[in-house]
Each structure stands twice: as C-alpha cells, then as structure tokens.
Amino acid sequence: MQIGPHLLRNNVFVAPMAGVTDRPFRQLCKELGAGYAVSEMAASNPRLWATEKSSRRTDHTGEMEPKAVQIAGADPKDLADCARFNVERGAQIIDINMGCPVKKVCNAWCGSALLQDEELVKRIVDAVVGAVDVPVTLKFRTGWDRANKNALNIARIAEDAGIAMLTLHGRTRADGYKGDAEYDTIAAVKKSVSIPVVANGDITSPEKARYVLDVTGADAVMVGRAAQGRPWIFREIDHYLRTGKHLPAPYVDEVRALMDEHLRAHYAFYGDYLGVRTARKHIGWYVRDLLGGEEFRQKMNLLESVGEQLLAVDQFFESQWRYGERLQYRPAEDLQAA
C-alpha cells in the first residue's frame, strides 16, 4: 500500500476522529500495528491556526512517519493556504475532510455538507492539490442522503484533480453512524477509479476487515470507533489478513504497561489539569468491556489528579489477574444487555 512516495507497512489504517486521534493515541496505534494514521481535523480558518487547540491537533513531534494532517473548511483558498501552512510545519500528506456528519460542521458548509455542491468540491480539490507538493487525499461519504448519493461523481472529480487516495465511509451524511455501512457503493467507486480506495465503516473485527476487503475490492480498511480502548485491534486485523488466524487476547501485564505509557504521554501532551480530564474517556473505553470495568469507570471519573488516576488504572489491571493472564471480556450477552 502506497500513498505518493510513502510505502506503508500494511493496509490497516486509523480513522481520524475529533477528540480521539491526538498524537499520543495515533502513535500508540502505529506501535500496535496500524499502517497509517491521520490527525484530527484542523480548521482552515487562518484565525484559528495559532490557537492552542489547533496547534495541538497538528503536532506530530516524534510521530512515526508518514505524518498526515486532515484539514476541514469550505473556502478553496483558505483550504489551500491551510495545506501549505501544515506542510511547512512537517505534514507529509494532506487529507481533505468531506466526511464529517456533525451538525455544527455541516452547518458551516464543511465536512460532508460539501457533497451537496460538486462544483465547490472540484474547486477545493483543485486548489489544495495545486497548493502543495505532497500527496493530497480525500475522505468522504456516499452522499448527502439516500436520495442524493453521488460518491461516483465525487470520486471522478477527485481523481481528475490529482487526489492520491480516496477514503469512503459507507454511509450518507443523513445516516450519521446509524444503520449498516453500504459496501456496494465502495465497491462501485473502487471499480470507477485507478487510485487507491480505502473502505471505512463498521470494521470492528479481523473477520469484518477480511469481508470488507473481499466485497469492495478496496486497497485498505480504516478502523475508527472499534479502536477506541482497543488499539491492539490493528495488529489483530493485520495478523488475520496475513495468516487467516487469530491472535490471542493481549496479556494483562502488556495492557497494564500500554495504559501507563499512553496515559503518561497523554498528560505530557495536554498538561496535568486538562490531561486528567481528557484521559477519562480513553480509560473508560479501555475498561468498558472488561469484568468490573463499568464500576471502576464510575469511580475513576471522580479522581482529580495524575497520581490518583495512574494508581487507580494500575490497580484495576492488577485486579484483572484474578480472571487469567490475558484480558477477559464480559460475555457477549452481558455486553448486548449493557
């Protein structure tokens, strides 16, 4: 799998997720087998570039290459300028967001709202591709709603503009994250273009990744929500795609060490005060499907200091030893009931 000059080690990618795929999490996913990761989306409005939030979102210091920044906006010039700004700061790949379904993003005519105006899409991709000398990729959805699906048109516009890779989430903007992803549209897009296509949507297991690659013909899969609290899913999928066999669940001690590494990197990135608070969601994701996880999460959310949080997480994973040396998830019927 290759994006421009960048040869990737596999075809299992991390989806850009606002508030999730910050540098510490991206780096951890890469260490655990992800072949590629894209930053949270950076606003194209130049007044926001110097804000602490935007600077943090595009910080790739020490990150495993290639370093990819996703940009979002509706003005072709602003997006082109934003692409140049991020390349000057070290971005090696620029990804344009036309997939975010969140209302506040779409209300500003950004994200998947752009799919309603194909002429504007053309102006944007032309402007951004022409502005930088690094590969530009596009993440988009199948259309605005089920009655207005135009993924094939968008794909052709993108390829004609020189977009290096397409990532297609198999839902419309109106679908949000509900219902099943439509892989037939991804398959149709793959057949219609000659550039790499990445399938995104509902890829939650190694078997599902294999199925999606088979039915769509896509070059890679992109995993989003399933990686929250389970970053080792990338090595599990990669191993299954290569061998057809499953890796066992990770050792408790390995996850205990990974959690400590992740949290310490998180605190260093955000500072103690904000770090403790933003770490709560990550910790909650790690423990939600484990025995005793929900009870622990409720108590952990009351802790206010780095030391308390680190100690509590360490003690929780120490307690998991009572169930075995590898992580033991709650029975499927319990997870469905929750």
Side-chain angles (χ1 to χ4, degrees):
M1 183 67 198
Q2 192 159 341
I3 306 174
H6 304 288
L7 182 63
L8 309 179
R9 52 186 179 146
N10 64 36
N11 62 343
V12 187
F13 301 168
V14 189
M17 294 175 280
V20 180
T21 49
D22 52 26
R23 191 186 73 201
F25 185 72
R26 291 194 306 271
Q27 184 70 355
L28 183 61
C29 290
K30 289 178 177 180
E31 291 173 3
L32 291 171
Y36 179 63
V38 184
S39 74
E40 305 168 82
M41 60 183 175
S44 63
N45 185 337
R47 290 175 295 177
L48 302 176
W49 295 352
T51 64
E52 184 177 3
K53 184 176 182 179
S54 290
S55 297
R56 194 182 289 123
R57 284 189 167 189
T58 57
D59 184 345
H60 292 262
T61 305
E63 186 176 346
M64 193 183 302
E65 296 184 352
K67 301 172 182 179
V69 172
Q70 186 180 78
I71 60 175
D75 181 85
K77 182 182 182 303
D78 281 353
L79 283 160
D81 290 343
C82 183
R84 276 191 291 264
F85 174 78
N86 279 285
V87 169
E88 289 168 1
R89 297 188 72 220
Q92 297 166 304
I93 297 171
I94 295 294
D95 184 61
I96 304 172
N97 183 317
M98 293 190 189
C100 181
V102 176
K103 186 176 292 186
K104 70 176 182 179
V105 174
C106 290
N107 285 348
W109 269 90
C110 303
S112 53
L114 294 167
L115 302 177
Q116 297 174 92
D117 189 338
E118 292 181 8
E119 177 55 36
L120 179 56
V121 169
K122 182 179 187 310
R123 288 166 49 213
I124 286 172
V125 292
D126 283 342
V128 176
V129 170
V132 293
D133 58 1
V134 303
V136 178
T137 61
L138 174 68
K139 189 172 192 294
F140 65 121
R141 285 183 171 237
T142 59
W144 178 249
D145 56 31
R146 292 297 174 104
N148 295 279
K149 294 199 293 187
N150 58 345
L152 288 172
N153 290 348
I154 299 297
R156 293 189 191 103
I157 290 169
E159 183 177 34
D160 289 345
I163 290 292
M165 183 180 79
L166 298 170
T167 299
L168 181 55
H169 185 124
R171 289 183 173 89
T172 67
R173 186 272 165 181
D175 291 331
Y177 296 99
K178 294 178 287 191
D180 295 326
E182 41 174 303
Y183 300 125
D184 55 338
T185 304
I186 300 177
V189 166
K190 174 59 187 171
K191 289 179 181 177
S192 74
V193 297
S194 59
I195 57 178
V197 173
V198 182
N200 178 220
D202 295 347
I203 298 166
T204 55
S205 68
E207 296 94 338
K208 190 64 175 289
R210 177 75 275 166
Y211 169 79
V212 170
L213 287 171
D214 289 344
V215 300
T216 64
D219 301 278
V221 289
M222 182 171 275
V223 180
R225 289 169 292 165
Q228 295 173 0
R230 202 166 179 168
W232 46 86
I233 193 172
F234 298 101
R235 72 181 182 196
E236 293 175 343
I237 292 175
D238 179 51
H239 181 82
Y240 186 81
L241 294 179
R242 287 186 291 104
T243 69
K245 298 178 180 178
H246 287 281
L247 286 175
Y251 287 104
V252 170
D253 279 353
E254 181 194 12
V255 176
R256 186 178 179 183
L258 286 171
M259 279 292 299
D260 189 74
E261 173 192 343
H262 185 185
L263 289 176
R264 291 182 187 277
H266 191 89
Y267 303 141
F269 190 67
Y270 288 98
D272 288 1
Y273 180 83
L274 184 59
V276 165
R277 285 148 184 81
T278 53
R280 288 171 181 160
K281 62 189 173 192
H282 286 283
I283 297 170
W285 290 327
Y286 276 106
V287 306
R288 62 186 168 189
D289 295 336
L290 298 176
L291 297 164
E294 179 56 27
E295 180 183 0
F296 166 75
R297 187 188 66 81
Q298 292 180 17
K299 294 178 180 177
M300 178 273 303
N301 282 342
L302 302 176
L303 303 179
E304 298 285 343
S305 74
V306 165
E308 289 176 315
Q309 208 171 58
L310 284 171
L311 179 61
V313 170
D314 187 70
Q315 290 177 340
F316 174 79
F317 281 99
E318 173 69 22
S319 75
Q320 292 297 296
W321 263 99
R322 75 184 71 170
Y323 308 114
E325 63 179 2
R326 294 185 182 273
L327 285 190
Q328 299 290 320
Y329 294 97
R330 287 186 289 157
E333 57 269 22
D334 290 353
L335 296 177
Q336 290 170 358

